[in-house]
Amino acid sequence: MLKSREELDAELGGVARAWLDEALAEAAHDAATPDAPGPYASPPWELRYAAAGRTCGPEHADSVRSLLLVEARATLSSVTRLYEQGTAAERRAVLLTLHRLDLGDTALPLVEDALRANDTRLVAAAVGPYAADHLDPHAWRHAVLKCLFTEVPVAAVARLDDRARGDDELARMLGDFADERTAAGRPVPEDLRTVLGHVRRIRAGSADEGAHRAPPTAAPAAPAPTEES
């Protein structure tokens, strides 16, 4: 979870706090004078972005980097550069902050790139509030399936209840995924049942509550014999 400036000030040592003060001041200056560095130069705060883990500690790096992005009012070119040139930790911080920036849907290529990765830290960060707001239904469903496939907890998926509710196509995809796992002799993830529960919630108490296919947990029992007439 990202920490606020007040929380960081309470946890950082004096040297790190002073460094953060300077870094945020540079970011604010860049936001006020966006054309100052020139089209081919990175502003000083972007160098601070890369150094956040070394200076403030890896446990605070995401929060520090997020504050820098917000204070600088980072543009699409900035977040793209930081994502493409950064380490996995630096990429994660970009993904975690996208919903706090005024980018509309222009940063979706970064989310889509992260969802193609096998790094579960990036996948988890990619399915946050920005994805919930901007991914189209087809891409969002596949993002949920990506979490199940890579064992990223679906608790990371922002607005899962809201977006999954009543989604019959997602229910079909979950059923297919469960069938494939069962046929391969592999367990069905408990998180799949969690997602399916969100899909069905709109139907709670209705006559067609059982219309969605439930994920199989074992081979079906043989039918009971019938009497010959």
Side-chain angles (χ1 to χ4, degrees), residues 3-206:
K3 298 176 182 178
S4 67
R5 175 69 187 281
E6 291 73 20
E7 290 171 321
L8 286 172
D9 282 344
E11 297 179 22
L12 293 174
V15 172
R17 282 199 306 272
W19 180 93
L20 181 56
D21 286 341
E22 294 174 0
L24 291 174
E26 290 175 353
H29 176 76
D30 186 64
T33 56
D35 297 327
Y40 304 107
S42 298
W45 72 266
E46 290 191 16
L47 301 178
R48 300 270 195 174
Y49 182 91
R54 295 191 300 274
T55 307
C56 298
E59 70 275 22
H60 300 305
D62 282 342
S63 299
V64 170
R65 288 173 176 141
S66 182
L67 286 176
L68 285 172
L69 290 168
V70 172
E71 193 70 28
R73 285 181 259 159
T75 62
L76 179 62
S77 61
S78 287
V79 296
T80 301
R81 179 167 55 247
L82 292 170
Y83 181 89
E84 292 180 344
Q85 298 179 3
T87 63
E90 292 163 26
R91 291 183 173 197
R92 182 178 64 245
V94 167
L95 295 166
L96 290 172
T97 313
L98 290 177
H99 67 290
R100 298 183 172 186
L101 305 173
D102 186 18
L103 299 172
D105 63 0
T106 61
L108 275 176
L110 304 185
V111 172
E112 292 163 353
D113 179 83
L115 290 172
R116 289 192 294 268
N118 292 320
D119 188 328
T120 55
R121 297 170 300 173
L122 295 183
V123 174
V127 292
Y130 185 83
D133 289 340
H134 296 290
L135 278 180
D136 65 39
H138 177 78
W140 186 82
R141 293 179 191 118
H142 280 278
V144 173
L145 265 292
K146 177 78 173 190
C147 288
L148 294 173
F149 183 78
T150 58
E151 299 183 355
V152 169
V154 296
V157 181
R159 289 176 45 209
L160 175 62
D161 184 23
D162 176 50
R163 291 209 58 170
R165 190 176 301 172
D167 190 334
D168 291 333
E169 177 60 15
L170 177 60
R172 183 195 65 76
M173 293 170 70
L174 292 171
D176 289 346
F177 179 74
D179 287 348
E180 291 170 6
R181 299 277 292 197
T182 302
R186 302 179 66 188
V188 176
E190 189 60 36
D191 267 357
L192 187 147
R193 297 177 178 84
T194 298
V195 179
L196 192 60
H198 288 303
V199 172
R200 289 173 165 174
R201 188 159 299 176
I202 197 171
R203 300 175 183 271
S206 66

